[in-house]
């Protein structure tokens, strides 16, 4: 790449920043593309931006993000700058409602290209929408979490969305921590 030339991921971000593929574009403040290390071994995929994320232009900056950052540090020994964080949809659904199938379909190519360009060893899906999309299933997170799935050249570890853990407390928090430990083991260099 020539000096000063934008990376493919940056070019994709610029393309997404003006996207009008679905009705979510009409109500957004800005596209929330993703954040972190473009060469990361670990990629988190959430559902979609909320109000605070729409204003900041960065995923997981509200209460859910604070919990995710804390658990990332405690269980993985990582900061958000050492991994990459993206969402299934890049624009905020009104009233923080669930993303509609047409919205997910419109954003899917962006997420797939992000995954292709970052090439993570481990993808951690946060909640039902990301997990169902990437595993191509209709099963819920309660049935899918606790297991590691092959994904591309690496692995996928489904876990709860931090917003759910904030509401539900104890047991889901312990299960989310266990899922992050599963991911950490997959990230550890192979022992001799």
């Amino acid at each position: 790449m020539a000096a000063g030339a934008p990376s493919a991921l940056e070019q994709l971000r610029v393309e997404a920043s003006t996207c009008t593929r679905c009705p979510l574009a009409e109500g957004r403040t800005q596209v929330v593309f993703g954040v972190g290390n473009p060469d990361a071994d670990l990629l988190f995929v959430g559902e979609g931006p909320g109000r605070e994320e729409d204003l900041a232009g960065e995923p997981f900056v509200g209460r859910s993000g604070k919990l995710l950052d804390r658990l990332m540090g405690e269980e993985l020994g990582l900061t958000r700058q050492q991994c990459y964080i993206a969402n299934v949809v890049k624009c905020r659904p009104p009233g923080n409602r669930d993303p509609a199938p047409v919205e997910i379909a419109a954003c899917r190519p962006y997420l797939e290209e992000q995954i292709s360009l970052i090439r993570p060893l481990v993808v951690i899906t946060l909640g039902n929408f990301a997990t169902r999309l990437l595993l191509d299933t209709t099963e819920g997170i309660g049935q899918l979490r606790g297991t590691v799935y092959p994904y591309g050249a690496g692995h996928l570890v489904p876990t709860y969305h931090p917003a759910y853990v904030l509401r539900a407390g104890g047991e889901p928090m312990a299960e989310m921590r266990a899922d992050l430990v599963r991911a950490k083991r997959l990230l550890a260099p192979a022992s001799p």
Side-chain angles (χ1 to χ4, degrees):
M1 174 172 24
S7 70
L9 191 62
E10 177 59 17
Q11 289 173 350
L12 185 65
R13 186 195 66 75
V14 169
E15 177 188 330
S17 72
T18 59
C19 178
T20 56
R21 292 180 185 172
C22 81
L24 290 181
E26 297 166 16
R28 71 175 179 235
T29 302
Q30 57 191 317
V31 169
V32 180
F33 181 71
V35 67
N37 179 353
D39 298 314
D41 288 336
L42 176 62
L43 170 68
F44 286 93
V45 180
E47 177 181 314
R51 181 182 166 277
E52 293 178 53
E53 290 77 13
D54 180 55
L55 293 171
E58 185 173 322
F60 288 94
V61 295
R63 287 182 64 228
S64 294
K66 287 178 181 32
L67 176 60
L68 182 61
D69 287 350
R70 189 180 99 212
L71 294 179
M72 216 185 293
E74 291 173 2
E75 302 303 336
L76 296 165
L78 296 173
T79 65
R80 68 174 39 222
Q81 292 77 28
Q82 293 172 291
C83 60
Y84 198 90
I85 305 172
N87 280 312
V88 169
V89 296
K90 310 303 184 196
C91 298
R92 177 185 181 212
N96 289 345
R97 67 160 167 74
D98 291 342
V102 67
E103 297 158 356
I104 293 170
C107 271
R108 185 179 192 149
Y110 291 124
L111 178 61
E112 288 175 346
E113 187 66 11
Q114 283 176 304
I115 294 168
S116 172
L117 292 169
I118 295 166
R119 295 187 323 260
L121 297 174
V122 178
V123 174
I124 298 177
T125 52
L126 302 168
N128 274 320
F129 286 91
T131 304
R132 287 176 175 163
L133 179 69
L134 295 185
L135 289 180
D136 192 25
T137 184
T138 57
E139 284 189 72
I141 191 67
Q143 293 78 40
L144 296 167
R145 67 139 306 275
T147 303
V148 173
Y149 299 87
Y151 187 77
H155 299 89
L156 188 143
V157 178
T159 195
Y160 297 120
H161 193 286
Y164 169 74
V165 172
L166 284 170
R167 291 189 308 273
E171 189 174 336
M173 174 74 82
E175 291 174 341
M176 185 176 186
R177 285 181 182 277
D179 294 332
L180 296 181
V181 169
R182 272 182 201 85
K184 183 177 185 174
R185 288 188 192 124
L186 296 168
L187 291 166
S191 30

